[in-house]
Amino acid sequence: MATLRIDLEKCIKAGECYYNHPTLFKVGKDGFPVVLIEKLDTAALREEGQAAADVCPSAAIHYDD
Ligand code: SF4
């Protein structure tokens, strides 16, 4: 199953993930993103997870299929 996680040491809080993919991420109190769905079990979620990883400017989003 595809999984999604964020390397917070790389994240620069650009916000691309939670602005563009609110199904998968939200912003936490500290300004860092929080992953809402870690196990992507549908084709639509996998596609969105890959898209989120592709747009992250610091390559902090790890999508593993
Ligand atoms: S898009 Fe990348 S750098 Fe921006 S908040 Fe999300 S994980 Fe952090």
Side-chain angles (χ1 to χ4, degrees):
M1 183 180 298
T3 58
L4 193 61
R5 66 180 177 82
I6 295 175
D7 182 345
L8 293 179
E9 292 193 358
K10 283 188 180 175
C11 174
I12 57 171
K13 299 184 183 177
E16 298 291 332
C17 53
Y18 47 79
Y19 286 130
N20 294 306
H21 303 283
T23 305
L24 298 180
F25 308 94
K26 70 173 184 179
V27 60
K29 285 189 191 136
D30 55 5
F32 282 105
V34 175
V35 177
L36 297 174
I37 306 176
E38 294 180 353
K39 296 186 189 306
L40 308 178
D41 58 2
T42 68
L45 286 175
R46 287 194 290 275
E47 193 172 309
E48 194 162 356
Q50 181 67 68
D54 289 345
V55 300
C56 174
S58 61
I61 297 176
H62 294 273
Y63 170 84
D64 297 303
D65 200 355

Coordinates of all heavy atoms in Angstrom, one line a residue:
M1 N 0.8 -1.2 0.0 CA 0.0 0.0 0.0 C 0.9 1.3 0.0 O 1.9 1.3 0.7 CB -0.9 0.0 1.3 CG -1.8 1.2 1.3 SD -2.9 1.2 2.8 CE -3.8 -0.3 2.5
A2 N 0.4 2.2 -0.7 CA 1.2 3.5 -0.8 C 1.1 4.2 0.5 O 0.1 4.2 1.2 CB 0.7 4.4 -1.9
T3 N 2.2 4.9 0.9 CA 2.2 5.6 2.1 C 2.8 7.0 1.9 O 3.5 7.3 0.9 CB 3.1 4.9 3.2 OG1 4.5 4.8 2.7 CG2 2.6 3.6 3.6
L4 N 2.4 7.9 2.8 CA 2.8 9.3 2.7 C 3.3 9.8 4.0 O 2.7 9.5 5.1 CB 1.5 10.1 2.4 CG 1.5 11.5 1.9 CD1 2.3 11.6 0.6 CD2 0.1 12.0 1.7
R5 N 4.4 10.5 4.0 CA 5.0 11.1 5.2 C 5.8 12.3 4.9 O 6.1 12.6 3.7 CB 5.8 10.1 6.0 CG 7.1 9.7 5.3 CD 7.9 8.7 6.1 NE 9.1 8.3 5.4 CZ 10.2 9.1 5.3 NH1 10.3 10.2 6.0 NH2 11.2 8.7 4.6
I6 N 6.0 13.1 5.9 CA 6.7 14.4 5.7 C 8.0 14.4 6.5 O 7.9 14.1 7.7 CB 5.9 15.6 6.0 CG1 4.7 15.7 5.1 CG2 6.7 16.9 6.0 CD1 3.7 16.8 5.5
D7 N 9.1 14.8 5.9 CA 10.3 15.0 6.7 C 10.3 16.4 7.1 O 10.6 17.4 6.4 CB 11.5 14.7 5.7 CG 12.9 14.9 6.5 OD1 12.9 15.5 7.6 OD2 13.9 14.4 5.9
L8 N 10.0 16.7 8.4 CA 9.8 18.0 8.9 C 11.2 18.8 9.0 O 11.2 20.0 9.1 CB 9.2 18.0 10.3 CG 7.7 17.6 10.2 CD1 7.1 17.5 11.6 CD2 6.9 18.4 9.3
E9 N 12.3 18.0 9.0 CA 13.6 18.7 9.0 C 13.9 19.4 7.6 O 14.6 20.3 7.5 CB 14.7 17.7 9.3 CG 14.6 17.3 10.8 CD 15.8 16.6 11.3 OE1 16.8 16.4 10.5 OE2 15.8 16.2 12.4
K10 N 13.2 18.9 6.6 CA 13.4 19.5 5.2 C 12.3 20.5 4.9 O 12.5 21.4 4.1 CB 13.3 18.4 4.2 CG 14.5 17.6 4.0 CD 14.4 16.7 2.8 CE 15.5 15.8 2.5 NZ 15.3 14.9 1.4
C11 N 11.2 20.4 5.6 CA 10.0 21.3 5.3 C 10.4 22.7 5.6 O 10.9 23.1 6.6 CB 8.8 20.9 6.1 SG 7.4 22.0 6.0
I12 N 10.0 23.6 4.6 CA 10.2 25.0 4.8 C 8.9 25.8 5.0 O 8.9 27.0 4.8 CB 11.0 25.6 3.6 CG1 10.3 25.3 2.3 CG2 12.4 25.1 3.5 CD1 10.9 26.1 1.0
K13 N 7.9 25.1 5.3 CA 6.5 25.7 5.6 C 6.0 26.5 4.4 O 5.4 27.5 4.6 CB 6.6 26.5 6.8 CG 7.0 25.8 8.1 CD 6.9 26.8 9.3 CE 7.3 26.1 10.6 NZ 7.3 27.1 11.7
A14 N 6.3 26.0 3.2 CA 5.8 26.8 2.0 C 4.3 26.6 1.9 O 3.7 27.5 1.2 CB 6.5 26.2 0.7
G15 N 3.7 25.6 2.4 CA 2.3 25.5 2.4 C 1.7 24.9 1.1 O 0.4 24.8 1.1
E16 N 2.5 24.5 0.2 CA 1.9 24.0 -1.1 C 1.1 22.8 -0.8 O 0.0 22.5 -1.4 CB 3.0 23.6 -2.1 CG 3.9 24.8 -2.5 CD 3.1 25.7 -3.4 OE1 2.2 25.3 -4.1 OE2 3.5 26.9 -3.4
C17 N 1.5 22.0 0.1 CA 0.8 20.7 0.4 C -0.6 20.9 0.9 O -1.6 20.5 0.4 CB 1.6 19.8 1.3 SG 2.1 20.5 2.8
Y18 N -0.7 21.7 2.0 CA -2.1 21.8 2.6 C -3.0 22.8 1.8 O -4.2 22.7 1.9 CB -2.0 22.1 4.1 CG -1.1 23.2 4.5 CD1 -1.4 24.6 4.4 CD2 0.1 22.9 5.1 CE1 -0.6 25.5 4.8 CE2 1.0 23.9 5.6 CZ 0.6 25.2 5.4 OH 1.5 26.2 5.9
Y19 N -2.4 23.8 1.1 CA -3.3 24.6 0.2 C -3.8 23.8 -1.0 O -5.0 24.0 -1.3 CB -2.5 25.8 -0.3 CG -2.2 26.9 0.8 CD1 -1.0 27.4 1.0 CD2 -3.3 27.4 1.6 CE1 -0.7 28.4 1.9 CE2 -3.0 28.3 2.5 CZ -1.7 28.8 2.7 OH -1.5 29.8 3.7
N20 N -3.0 23.0 -1.6 CA -3.4 22.3 -2.8 C -4.0 21.0 -2.6 O -4.7 20.5 -3.4 CB -2.2 22.2 -3.7 CG -1.7 23.5 -4.2 OD1 -2.5 24.3 -4.8 ND2 -0.5 23.8 -4.0
H21 N -3.7 20.4 -1.4 CA -4.2 19.0 -1.2 C -4.8 18.9 0.3 O -4.2 18.2 1.1 CB -3.1 18.0 -1.4 CG -2.5 18.1 -2.7 ND1 -3.1 17.5 -3.8 CD2 -1.4 18.7 -3.2 CE1 -2.4 17.8 -4.9 NE2 -1.3 18.5 -4.6
P22 N -5.9 19.6 0.5 CA -6.4 19.6 1.9 C -7.0 18.3 2.3 O -7.3 18.1 3.5 CB -7.5 20.7 1.8 CG -7.8 20.9 0.4 CD -6.6 20.5 -0.4
T23 N -7.2 17.4 1.4 CA -7.7 16.0 1.7 C -6.6 15.3 2.5 O -6.8 14.5 3.4 CB -8.0 15.2 0.4 OG1 -9.0 16.0 -0.3 CG2 -8.6 13.9 0.8
L24 N -5.3 15.6 2.1 CA -4.2 14.8 2.6 C -3.4 15.5 3.7 O -2.8 14.8 4.5 CB -3.2 14.5 1.5 CG -3.7 13.6 0.3 CD1 -2.6 13.4 -0.7 CD2 -4.2 12.3 0.9
F25 N -3.5 16.8 3.8 CA -2.7 17.6 4.8 C -3.5 18.7 5.4 O -4.4 19.2 4.8 CB -1.5 18.2 4.1 CG -0.7 17.3 3.2 CD1 -0.9 17.2 1.9 CD2 0.4 16.6 3.8 CE1 -0.1 16.4 1.1 CE2 1.1 15.7 3.0 CZ 0.9 15.6 1.7
K26 N -3.1 19.1 6.6 CA -3.6 20.3 7.2 C -2.4 21.0 7.9 O -1.3 20.4 8.1 CB -4.7 20.0 8.3 CG -4.1 19.3 9.5 CD -5.2 19.2 10.6 CE -4.6 18.6 11.9 NZ -5.6 18.5 12.9
V27 N -2.6 22.3 8.2 CA -1.5 23.0 8.8 C -1.7 22.8 10.4 O -2.8 22.9 10.9 CB -1.5 24.5 8.4 CG1 -2.8 25.2 8.8 CG2 -0.3 25.2 9.0
G28 N -0.6 22.5 11.0 CA -0.6 22.3 12.5 C -0.4 23.7 13.2 O -0.1 24.7 12.5
K29 N -0.5 23.7 14.5 CA -0.4 24.9 15.2 C 1.0 25.6 15.0 O 1.1 26.8 15.1 CB -0.6 24.7 16.7 CG -2.1 24.4 17.1 CD -2.2 24.4 18.6 CE -3.6 23.9 18.9 NZ -3.6 22.9 20.0
D30 N 2.0 24.8 14.8 CA 3.3 25.3 14.7 C 3.7 25.8 13.3 O 4.8 26.2 13.0 CB 4.4 24.3 15.2 CG 4.2 23.0 14.4 OD1 3.3 22.9 13.5 OD2 4.9 22.0 14.8
G31 N 2.7 25.7 12.4 CA 2.9 26.1 11.0 C 3.4 24.9 10.1 O 3.5 25.1 8.9
F32 N 3.8 23.8 10.7 CA 4.2 22.7 9.9 C 3.0 21.9 9.5 O 2.0 21.8 10.2 CB 5.1 21.8 10.7 CG 6.5 22.3 10.8 CD1 7.0 22.8 12.0 CD2 7.4 22.2 9.8 CE1 8.3 23.3 12.1 CE2 8.7 22.6 9.9 CZ 9.2 23.2 11.1
P33 N 3.1 21.2 8.3 CA 2.0 20.4 7.9 C 1.8 19.1 8.7 O 2.8 18.6 9.2 CB 2.3 20.1 6.4 CG 3.8 20.2 6.4 CD 4.2 21.2 7.4
V34 N 0.6 18.6 8.7 CA 0.3 17.4 9.3 C -0.3 16.5 8.3 O -1.2 16.9 7.5 CB -0.7 17.6 10.5 CG1 -1.1 16.2 11.1 CG2 -0.1 18.5 11.5
V35 N 0.1 15.2 8.2 CA -0.5 14.3 7.2 C -1.8 13.7 7.8 O -1.8 13.2 8.9 CB 0.5 13.1 6.9 CG1 -0.1 12.1 6.0 CG2 1.8 13.6 6.3
L36 N -2.8 13.9 7.0 CA -4.1 13.4 7.5 C -4.4 11.9 7.1 O -5.1 11.2 7.8 CB -5.2 14.3 6.9 CG -5.2 15.7 7.3 CD1 -6.3 16.5 6.6 CD2 -5.5 15.9 8.8
I37 N -3.9 11.5 6.0 CA -4.1 10.1 5.5 C -2.7 9.6 5.2 O -2.1 10.0 4.2 CB -5.0 10.1 4.3 CG1 -6.3 10.8 4.6 CG2 -5.2 8.6 3.9 CD1 -7.3 10.8 3.4
E38 N -2.2 8.7 6.0 CA -0.9 8.1 5.8 C -0.9 6.9 4.9 O 0.1 6.6 4.2 CB -0.2 7.7 7.1 CG 0.0 9.0 8.0 CD 0.7 8.7 9.3 OE1 0.8 7.5 9.6 OE2 1.0 9.6 10.0
K39 N -2.0 6.2 4.8 CA -2.1 5.0 4.0 C -3.0 5.3 2.8 O -4.2 5.5 3.1 CB -2.5 3.8 4.8 CG -1.5 3.4 5.8 CD -1.9 2.1 6.5 CE -1.0 1.8 7.7 NZ 0.4 1.8 7.5
L40 N -2.5 5.4 1.6 CA -3.3 5.8 0.5 C -3.8 4.5 -0.2 O -3.1 3.8 -0.9 CB -2.4 6.6 -0.5 CG -1.8 7.8 0.3 CD1 -0.9 8.6 -0.7 CD2 -2.8 8.7 0.9
D41 N -5.1 4.2 0.0 CA -5.6 2.9 -0.5 C -6.5 3.0 -1.7 O -7.2 2.0 -2.0 CB -6.3 2.2 0.7 CG -7.4 3.0 1.3 OD1 -7.7 4.1 0.8 OD2 -8.0 2.5 2.3
T42 N -6.6 4.1 -2.3 CA -7.4 4.2 -3.5 C -6.5 4.9 -4.6 O -5.5 5.6 -4.3 CB -8.7 5.1 -3.4 OG1 -8.3 6.5 -3.2 CG2 -9.5 4.6 -2.2
A43 N -6.9 4.7 -5.9 CA -6.1 5.2 -7.0 C -6.1 6.7 -6.9 O -5.1 7.4 -7.1 CB -6.7 4.7 -8.3
A44 N -7.3 7.3 -6.5 CA -7.4 8.8 -6.5 C -6.4 9.3 -5.4 O -5.8 10.4 -5.6 CB -8.8 9.2 -6.2
L45 N -6.4 8.7 -4.2 CA -5.5 9.2 -3.1 C -4.0 9.0 -3.5 O -3.2 9.9 -3.2 CB -5.8 8.4 -1.8 CG -7.1 8.8 -1.1 CD1 -7.3 7.9 0.1 CD2 -7.1 10.2 -0.7
R46 N -3.7 7.9 -4.2 CA -2.3 7.7 -4.6 C -1.9 8.8 -5.6 O -0.8 9.3 -5.6 CB -2.1 6.3 -5.2 CG -2.2 5.2 -4.2 CD -1.7 3.9 -4.7 NE -2.6 3.3 -5.6 CZ -3.6 2.5 -5.3 NH1 -3.9 2.3 -4.1 NH2 -4.4 2.0 -6.3
E47 N -2.8 9.1 -6.5 CA -2.5 10.1 -7.5 C -2.3 11.5 -6.8 O -1.4 12.2 -7.2 CB -3.7 10.2 -8.5 CG -3.4 11.0 -9.7 CD -4.5 10.9 -10.7 OE1 -5.0 9.8 -11.0 OE2 -5.0 12.0 -11.2
E48 N -3.1 11.7 -5.8 CA -3.0 13.0 -5.1 C -1.7 13.0 -4.3 O -1.0 14.1 -4.2 CB -4.2 13.2 -4.2 CG -4.3 14.6 -3.7 CD -5.7 15.0 -3.2 OE1 -6.6 14.2 -3.3 OE2 -5.8 16.1 -2.7
G49 N -1.4 11.9 -3.7 CA -0.1 11.9 -2.9 C 1.1 12.1 -3.8 O 2.0 12.8 -3.4
Q50 N 1.1 11.5 -4.9 CA 2.2 11.7 -5.8 C 2.3 13.1 -6.3 O 3.4 13.7 -6.4 CB 2.1 10.7 -7.0 CG 3.2 10.9 -8.0 CD 4.5 10.4 -7.5 OE1 4.7 9.2 -7.2 NE2 5.5 11.3 -7.2
A51 N 1.2 13.7 -6.6 CA 1.1 15.1 -7.0 C 1.7 16.0 -5.9 O 2.4 17.0 -6.2 CB -0.3 15.5 -7.4
A52 N 1.3 15.8 -4.7 CA 1.8 16.6 -3.6 C 3.3 16.5 -3.4 O 4.0 17.5 -3.2 CB 1.1 16.2 -2.3
A53 N 3.8 15.3 -3.5 CA 5.2 15.1 -3.4 C 5.9 15.8 -4.6 O 7.0 16.4 -4.3 CB 5.6 13.6 -3.5
D54 N 5.3 15.9 -5.7 CA 6.0 16.5 -6.9 C 6.1 18.0 -6.7 O 7.0 18.6 -7.3 CB 5.2 16.2 -8.2 CG 5.4 14.7 -8.6 OD1 6.3 14.1 -8.1 OD2 4.6 14.3 -9.5
V55 N 5.1 18.6 -6.0 CA 5.1 20.1 -5.9 C 5.8 20.6 -4.7 O 6.1 21.8 -4.6 CB 3.7 20.7 -5.9 CG1 2.9 20.4 -7.2 CG2 2.9 20.3 -4.7
C56 N 6.1 19.8 -3.8 CA 6.8 20.3 -2.6 C 8.2 20.9 -2.9 O 9.0 20.2 -3.5 CB 7.0 19.2 -1.6 SG 8.0 19.7 -0.1
P57 N 8.4 22.2 -2.7 CA 9.7 22.8 -3.1 C 10.9 22.3 -2.4 O 12.0 22.5 -2.9 CB 9.4 24.3 -2.8 CG 8.4 24.3 -1.7 CD 7.5 23.1 -2.0
S58 N 10.7 21.6 -1.3 CA 11.9 21.2 -0.5 C 12.1 19.7 -0.5 O 12.9 19.1 0.2 CB 11.9 21.7 0.9 OG 10.8 21.2 1.6
A59 N 11.3 19.0 -1.4 CA 11.3 17.5 -1.4 C 11.1 16.9 -0.1 O 11.8 15.9 0.3 CB 12.6 17.1 -2.1
A60 N 10.3 17.5 0.7 CA 10.0 17.0 2.1 C 9.0 15.9 2.2 O 8.8 15.2 3.2 CB 9.7 18.1 3.0
I61 N 8.1 15.8 1.1 CA 7.0 14.8 1.1 C 7.5 13.6 0.5 O 8.0 13.6 -0.7 CB 5.8 15.4 0.4 CG1 5.3 16.7 1.1 CG2 4.7 14.4 0.3 CD1 4.2 17.4 0.3
H62 N 7.4 12.5 1.2 CA 7.8 11.2 0.8 C 6.6 10.3 0.5 O 5.8 10.0 1.4 CB 8.7 10.5 1.8 CG 10.0 11.2 2.0 ND1 11.1 11.0 1.2 CD2 10.3 12.2 2.8 CE1 12.1 11.8 1.6 NE2 11.6 12.5 2.6
Y63 N 6.4 10.1 -0.8 CA 5.4 9.2 -1.3 C 6.0 7.9 -1.7 O 6.9 7.8 -2.6 CB 4.7 9.8 -2.5 CG 3.7 8.9 -3.2 CD1 2.4 8.7 -2.7 CD2 4.1 8.2 -4.3 CE1 1.5 7.8 -3.3 CE2 3.2 7.3 -4.9 CZ 2.0 7.1 -4.4 OH 1.1 6.3 -5.1
D64 N 5.7 6.8 -1.0 CA 6.2 5.5 -1.3 C 5.1 4.5 -1.8 O 4.2 4.3 -1.1 CB 6.9 4.9 -0.1 CG 8.1 5.8 0.3 OD1 9.0 6.0 -0.5 OD2 8.1 6.2 1.5
D65 N 5.3 4.0 -3.0 CA 4.3 3.1 -3.5 C 4.8 1.7 -3.6 O 6.0 1.4 -3.7 CB 3.9 3.6 -4.9 CG 2.6 3.0 -5.4 OD1 2.0 2.2 -4.6 OD2 2.1 3.4 -6.4
Ligands
SF4_1 S1 4.8 21.7 0.4 FE1 6.7 20.8 1.3 S2 7.8 22.5 2.2 FE2 5.7 23.2 1.8 S3 4.7 22.9 3.8 FE3 4.3 21.1 2.6 S4 6.0 19.7 3.1 FE4 6.6 21.7 3.8

